[in-house]
Amino acid sequence: MAGLSLKCGDCGVLLKSTEEAREHAELTSHSNFFESTEAVLNIVCTTCGKPCRSKTESDLHTKRTGHTDFVDKTLESAKPISMEVPKPDAELDEHADTSHSSQLEEMIVPEVDKKLLEELESMGFSLARATRALHFSGNASVEAAVNWVVEHEDDPEIDQMPLVPANTKVEAPKPTLTPEEVKLKAQELRERARKKKEEEEKQREREREKERIRIGKELLEAKRIEEEQERKRLIALRKAEKEEEQRAREKIRQKLEEDKAERRRRLGLPPEDPAAAKPSVPVVQEKKTSLPIRPATKAEQMRECLRSLKQNHKEDDTKVKRAFQTLLTYIGNVAKNPSEEKFRKIRTTNPSFQERVGSLKGGIEFLELCGFEKIEEGEFLFLARDKVEMAVLNSAGSELDSAIKNPYFGIL
């Protein structure tokens, strides 16, 4: 049976012709080839017609496009392989000479569609890769350029700027991917470019936030320094004002001294002796009495306090009597219930207490004579249980009763 393919003895791959064997040898450095009766697989997709040469290639096509129906046409396309290598004819020699001479021509970067180039760069492709893809895809479209990139991603010169002879137009190869594959790949690349842009935007936002924080800190520090300088300036200003005031006073004092000395000179008086001390206030000697002074009793102090209260508010007799009756009620409650704290504690801020007793001069003083003391910064008047003296309370009650009933109390 005639050979249907060439098989590489090093890696086992099947090749259709001697041309493919030569290319395989150049790429892999394999040199062990022999004829094989196995035909190269030709699995064709029934949906889009794409031929696949291996099960791996068909699986990759299914993964990319979702197509799952394939037809094996290996036997239909199988032909005996020719081992003869075609010899170059004169036309090929002439073409080779022309190619050799063209290498000596000037090499330039090919012209590509700038709009398509910008769109590819926005999708994340480098300038060299985008230019190469557009040039070799014929500037047809973004999809065609993406298709070319997909097929040549592993090329070593993929990221090198393409160069062509100045007067030569390179014919673009036709895309081999299906429209569906091109569309999916373009969508994938756009999504990748979108994510890259979002990540770059997030990074820029983080940098801007750091910059805002830094500027905020600098502003706060500048404000603190400014406030500190302002405080120092005010202190220095007050100090200067005090010194100026002191100097002004000293000038006034000197002027007064000079005026005083001038008046003495005009009156013919001798200059004042600065060492002579002048008595400030005449000392009044107290007259001594031979009679002993008897200290006022508690009852007399209470009577005098009530008399002073009536004298201070004699224009309103009703208010005075109401104050006396309120004081008598406070004293009577404590005398009857000395153990009850509520009768021994009075809130001075109470409106009723203020109206009846607190606002009248002498009312609170009378309660203090009875033993009440101000506590909690004067908010309460409190009479401690151990300081309750019934004799004092009875004396206070007698003085209040007399002040209420005696029509001449405080007048005589």
Side-chain angles (χ1 to χ4, degrees):
M1 184 177 180
L4 300 178
S5 64
L6 287 176
K7 188 172 185 179
C8 178
D10 296 322
C11 61
V13 67
L14 295 177
L15 306 166
K16 286 184 176 181
S17 63
T18 56
E19 296 294 335
E20 290 188 0
R22 185 183 300 109
E23 292 178 1
H24 181 76
E26 291 176 356
L27 292 174
T28 61
S29 299
H30 298 168
S31 60
N32 185 15
F33 298 94
F34 58 90
E35 269 188 270
S36 173
T37 57
E38 297 180 41
V40 178
L41 292 179
N42 184 20
I43 304 173
V44 181
C45 176
T46 58
T47 304
C48 62
K50 176 178 175 59
C52 300
R53 298 181 61 174
S54 65
K55 186 65 170 60
T56 303
E57 190 174 347
S58 64
D59 292 342
L60 180 60
H61 180 73
T62 299
K63 184 177 180 181
R64 288 178 175 176
T65 64
H67 302 165
T68 57
D69 295 332
F70 295 89
V71 177
D72 191 351
K73 295 184 179 181
T74 303
L75 297 179
E76 296 178 7
S77 61
K79 295 180 181 180
I81 187 169
S82 175
M83 298 298 294
E84 295 182 1
V85 179
K87 296 181 179 180
D89 53 11
E91 183 179 356
L92 294 178
D93 291 340
E94 182 181 354
H95 181 270
D97 294 339
T98 304
S99 175
H100 178 72
S101 62
S102 65
Q103 292 179 358
L104 301 177
E105 297 180 6
E106 181 184 359
M107 306 298 288
I108 61 172
V109 177
E111 292 289 337
V112 295
D113 192 314
K114 294 184 179 180
K115 185 176 181 181
L116 298 179
L117 181 64
E118 292 177 359
E119 187 172 353
L120 285 174
E121 287 183 326
S122 68
M123 293 170 64
F125 294 107
S126 64
L127 177 61
R129 180 173 292 200
T131 304
R132 182 175 287 272
L134 287 173
H135 170 65
F136 288 108
S137 63
N139 291 309
S141 64
V142 173
E143 289 75 11
V146 172
N147 178 31
W148 189 91
V149 171
V150 172
E151 292 184 348
H152 297 82
E153 281 183 333
D154 298 329
D155 292 356
E157 69 277 4
I158 186 67
D159 288 317
Q160 296 178 5
M161 188 66 73
L163 297 174
V164 297
N167 298 322
T168 302
K169 182 178 180 181
V170 179
E171 191 173 330
K174 296 182 180 179
T176 58
L177 292 182
T178 63
E180 291 82 1
E181 291 176 321
V182 172
K183 186 176 181 181
L184 291 175
K185 190 62 180 179
Q187 183 178 358
E188 178 184 352
L189 291 175
R190 288 193 181 95
E191 183 67 19
R192 189 187 308 167
R194 184 185 64 80
K195 291 182 179 179
K196 183 178 180 181
K197 280 188 175 182
E198 290 179 354
E199 185 62 29
E200 291 176 353
E201 182 62 28
K202 289 180 181 178
Q203 182 64 25
R204 286 194 293 269
E205 182 62 28
R206 286 193 290 268
E207 295 296 330
R208 286 194 293 267
E209 183 64 22
K210 290 180 181 179
E211 184 66 14
R212 284 195 293 268
I213 293 174
R214 184 186 65 80
I215 293 175
K217 289 182 178 179
E218 291 180 356
L219 289 176
L220 289 176
E221 181 64 18
K223 184 177 180 181
R224 186 191 65 79
I225 294 175
E226 183 180 358
E227 291 176 351
E228 180 68 17
Q229 292 177 349
E230 180 66 16
R231 186 181 65 83
K232 292 181 179 179
R233 189 185 68 80
L234 291 175
I235 292 175
L237 182 61
R238 292 193 189 100
K239 184 177 180 181
E241 289 176 351
K242 288 182 179 179
E243 292 176 352
E244 182 65 24
E245 184 179 356
Q246 185 68 23
R247 287 193 293 269
R249 289 180 180 177
E250 183 64 23
K251 288 181 180 179
I252 293 173
R253 188 188 65 79
Q254 292 178 359
K255 182 63 176 175
L256 292 175
E257 292 292 337
E258 292 174 358
D259 292 345
K260 187 176 180 181
E262 180 64 21
R263 286 195 301 271
R264 293 180 67 87
R265 186 184 63 77
R266 288 178 181 178
L267 294 174
L269 298 175
E272 184 180 9
D273 187 4
K278 298 187 291 182
S280 58
V281 180
V283 179
V284 180
Q285 294 183 354
E286 296 181 0
K287 295 183 180 179
K288 297 183 179 179
T289 177
S290 58
L291 297 176
I293 299 176
R294 179 177 62 84
T297 62
K298 205 81 164 180
E300 291 174 346
Q301 293 177 8
M302 292 179 183
R303 189 180 308 116
E304 185 61 28
C305 184
L306 294 176
R307 185 181 293 112
S308 175
L309 190 151
K310 187 170 183 177
Q311 289 292 330
N312 291 330
H313 305 281
K314 59 184 178 180
E315 71 280 359
D316 194 347
D317 188 64
T318 302
K319 182 182 291 188
V320 172
K321 286 186 177 181
R322 187 174 60 181
F324 288 169
Q325 290 172 352
T326 303
L327 290 172
L328 183 60
T329 301
Y330 284 137
I331 299 303
N333 288 337
V334 176
K336 294 176 183 178
N337 305 282
S339 299
E340 292 290 335
E341 183 178 345
K342 65 180 181 179
F343 297 122
R344 293 184 284 105
K345 191 172 183 180
I346 304 171
R347 184 186 292 273
T348 58
T349 57
N350 185 283
S352 178
F353 174 81
Q354 282 292 324
E355 182 182 0
R356 293 172 176 267
V357 177
S359 61
L360 278 66
K361 185 177 180 181
I364 294 178
E365 289 79 0
F366 183 85
L367 291 173
E368 289 177 339
L369 289 173
C370 296
F372 284 84
E373 296 177 351
K374 292 181 179 180
I375 62 172
E376 297 183 12
E377 297 181 356
E379 186 176 358
F380 292 93
L381 286 172
F382 181 71
L383 177 58
R385 178 65 183 87
D386 56 349
K387 293 185 179 181
V388 174
E389 296 180 15
M390 297 305 297
V392 174
L393 296 178
N394 291 333
S395 178
S398 299
E399 293 298 329
L400 285 168
D401 184 71
S402 174
I404 293 171
K405 295 179 179 180
N406 186 0
Y408 304 103
F409 181 83
I411 299 176
L412 300 177

